[in-house]
Amino acid sequence: MHHFDRIDGALHAEGVPLEALAGAVGTPAYVYSTATLTRHYSLLRAAADAHRGALGDALIAFAVKANSNLSVLATLARLGCGADTVSEGEIRRALKAGIPGERIIFSGVGKTDAELAFAIEVGVRQINVESGAELERLIAIAAAKGSAPAIAIRVNPKIGAGGHAKITTGGATDKFGVPVEEAIDLYARASASPHLTPVGLACHIGSQIMSLAPMEAAFHTLREMVLTLRANGHSVTRLDLGGGLGVPYHGQTDTPSIADYAAMCARVLEGLGVEAAFEPGRLLAANAGLLLSRVIQVNQRTGSPEEGGGRRFLVLDAGMNDLMRPALYDAFHDLVPVRPREGELRAYDLVGPICESTDIFARDRMLPPLEAGDLVAFMGAGAYGAVLASEYNSRPLVPEVLVDGDRWAMVRSRPSYEDMWAREPRADWL
Ligand code: LLP
């Protein structure tokens, strides 16, 4: 559920009319709802707390990659949320937003020496190690610093899942994590080093996962591994269960519920006495944001249907540079008119202004009549939306707005053309 509703026929973000917002900040623009972020976090918090016996004092570490806006992170920080990060930049963002180091997990398949050193310096909660090569580098870096950071080994359970082949991470040929046997060996290697403190295992098998079954299977693998490691004399106190839970993009009701998800995790971890960590990105942020856009014009194609005649292209001022997900993953985002006109539904192809055929959001969407100047919103755009945006075609980076009740703030501004040129100093010989 989200807090984007109609009041007197016009779509609002909480108490703020999107028409007024578009007038004030222009389009395209991302708009986020504080109430929705809060609701999603609170639902997961309550679900985890309901299983304290099995999950311990579980950490919810928001996957910063999904939405790294400082105000979004600060909103979550105030609720007690932690951060799952994959770069020095993300760690810095989390810290700047007020998330303490002890609630920051550092994941990622390719952390540089400098990033590992930085993570140790700021005292992150745990570093999730993804390979033997990384483990050896980390030992050397920690030794040089005279420290012993907490680490988890990221396991590749050979179970991939997710809404698209390109967002599956747990499969045998995916680049992430280490196979079970190797993970057991790496844990022993870490335990033997005075410069590491192995605390547990981590696993993340994919994103937009619509069934709990593959996650449950992967978590069972972790459970077995905990028993093996303990039998080998090692201490294991934490399990990082990753993110990945699917969210409704179509208004569908078949997504796994947060309560069922937490109950499943508790079932698998029951009796282990470990502390769980969750790394949700999409779950917290996707339906907490929309991309507001204006119709530039409607291009009606003439000619025979076989030759594309009759097609109606809704040309928007948002392009794939602003919202990459449809071009990258054939992702579905609902498009809704901010103030729908009366009239019969008709089929539109939703396209942006970018000079590429991939700049198409959807084909044959049935929508009420739309005209140049009308406002529309892509729903479910709060995760992996603004973070993936670029200035392709020299379009200024899309801004972000955060709404809280009746108030709103521009939380990432749209650069001016001068701002853009200032980042590109001319070579001194030109
Ligand atoms: N933890 C790790 C280690 C991850 O790699 C990810 C996402 C998450 C947590 C959060 O997953 P979530 O709860 O959001 O599913 N850009 C793609 C999604 C890429 C996900 C990458 N990893 C998209 O727009 O669908």
Side-chain angles (χ1 to χ4, degrees):
M1 210 203 91
H2 55 66
H3 288 79
F4 300 107
D5 283 320
R6 294 192 185 281
I7 302 175
D8 294 334
L11 195 62
H12 282 55
E14 302 190 23
V16 177
L18 292 176
E19 286 166 333
L21 208 51
V25 306
T27 53
Y30 278 92
V31 183
Y32 308 127
S33 154
T34 300
T36 312
L37 285 168
T38 305
R39 178 184 154 79
H40 292 168
Y41 175 81
S42 306
L43 283 174
L44 184 57
R45 183 75 268 164
D49 288 349
H51 297 283
R52 218 171 247 281
L55 302 175
D57 187 12
L59 176 77
I60 299 175
F62 176 61
V64 172
K65 65 171 80 70
N67 187 322
S68 53
N69 185 278
L70 288 172
S71 292
V72 167
L73 297 181
T75 300
L76 292 170
R78 285 190 176 192
L79 299 169
C81 193
D84 165 52
T85 59
V86 293
S87 67
E88 178 174 335
E90 286 194 354
I91 297 174
R92 285 183 184 273
R93 275 182 184 274
L95 291 169
K96 193 164 177 61
I99 299 174
E102 75 228 26
R103 289 211 292 267
I104 298 176
I105 294 173
F106 188 27
S107 314
V109 78
K111 312 176 192 76
T112 65
D113 287 3
E115 287 179 312
L116 290 168
F118 178 75
I120 294 172
E121 278 157 29
V122 299
V124 299
R125 172 192 182 84
Q126 120 198 354
I127 298 173
N128 289 354
V129 173
E130 297 221 15
S131 64
E134 184 189 4
L135 191 78
E136 294 308 324
R137 280 195 300 122
L138 183 57
I139 290 174
I141 294 162
K145 290 193 169 300
S147 64
I151 65 137
I153 304 289
R154 176 159 174 188
V155 180
N156 179 319
K158 300 190 179 153
I159 300 169
H164 188 276
K166 289 186 180 168
I167 54 175
T168 297
T169 51
T173 57
D174 290 326
K175 69 178 177 178
F176 302 97
V178 289
V180 171
E181 288 310 314
E182 190 183 341
I184 299 281
D185 290 346
L186 291 186
Y187 208 94
R189 167 79 178 106
S191 294
S193 166
H195 299 296
L196 294 181
T197 311
V199 292
L201 302 168
C203 163
H204 170 83
I205 63 171
S207 196
Q208 186 55 12
I209 301 173
M210 298 296 281
S211 151
L212 294 178
M215 290 181 161
E216 185 160 4
F219 300 161
H220 266 293
T221 300
L222 294 185
R223 181 188 174 89
E224 292 303 312
M225 292 176 70
V226 171
L227 300 176
T228 305
L229 288 167
R230 285 183 177 161
N232 293 352
H234 301 301
S235 154
V236 186
T237 56
R238 295 183 194 163
L239 282 183
D240 178 343
L241 304 177
L245 199 63
V247 304
Y249 280 106
H250 305 246
Q252 70 267 49
T253 51
D254 58 345
T255 48
S257 81
I258 293 177
D260 288 351
Y261 170 64
M264 176 277 284
C265 295
R267 229 176 18 249
V268 182
L269 268 51
E270 186 66 51
L272 284 181
V274 293
E275 197 164 89
F278 298 100
E279 298 176 349
R282 194 186 309 270
L283 184 68
L284 301 192
N287 283 310
L290 56 75
L291 174 62
L292 190 57
S293 173
R294 208 178 274 284
V295 176
I296 295 178
Q297 66 205 16
V298 180
N299 291 354
Q300 179 77 51
R301 180 71 53 83
T302 54
S304 67
E306 300 76 51
E307 291 170 330
R311 297 211 80 83
R312 204 177 283 112
F313 295 99
L314 188 72
V315 186
L316 302 170
D317 69 358
M320 70 182 219
N321 68 303
D322 304 304
L323 178 62
M324 280 293 284
R325 301 194 66 253
L328 275 177
Y329 321 109
D330 301 316
F332 178 97
H333 285 274
D334 208 8
L335 184 93
V336 300
V338 168
R339 188 183 287 278
R341 292 172 185 277
E342 298 283 321
E344 273 183 32
L345 299 187
R346 48 186 75 169
Y348 288 95
D349 289 348
L350 314 180
V351 304
I354 302 276
C355 295
E356 284 220 31
S357 295
T358 45
D359 187 26
I360 176 158
F361 297 108
R363 292 263 187 211
D364 292 321
R365 283 287 173 87
M366 297 306 291
L367 293 166
L370 282 155
E371 295 178 13
D374 286 358
L375 284 171
V376 293
F378 281 107
M379 306 305 288
Y384 308 109
V387 282
L388 283 165
S390 76
E391 291 184 342
Y392 187 39
N393 277 204
S394 288
R395 293 159 48 80
L397 193 63
V398 59
E400 296 170 278
V401 171
L402 180 66
V403 169
D404 180 24
D406 293 336
R407 58 187 175 172
W408 62 270
M410 184 93 141
V411 293
R412 180 170 86 186
S413 59
R414 193 190 310 275
S416 68
Y417 291 111
E418 286 309 318
D419 294 336
M420 289 164 66
W421 312 156
R423 296 199 309 260
E424 295 175 38
R426 192 183 292 219
D428 60 9
W429 62 88
L430 294 173

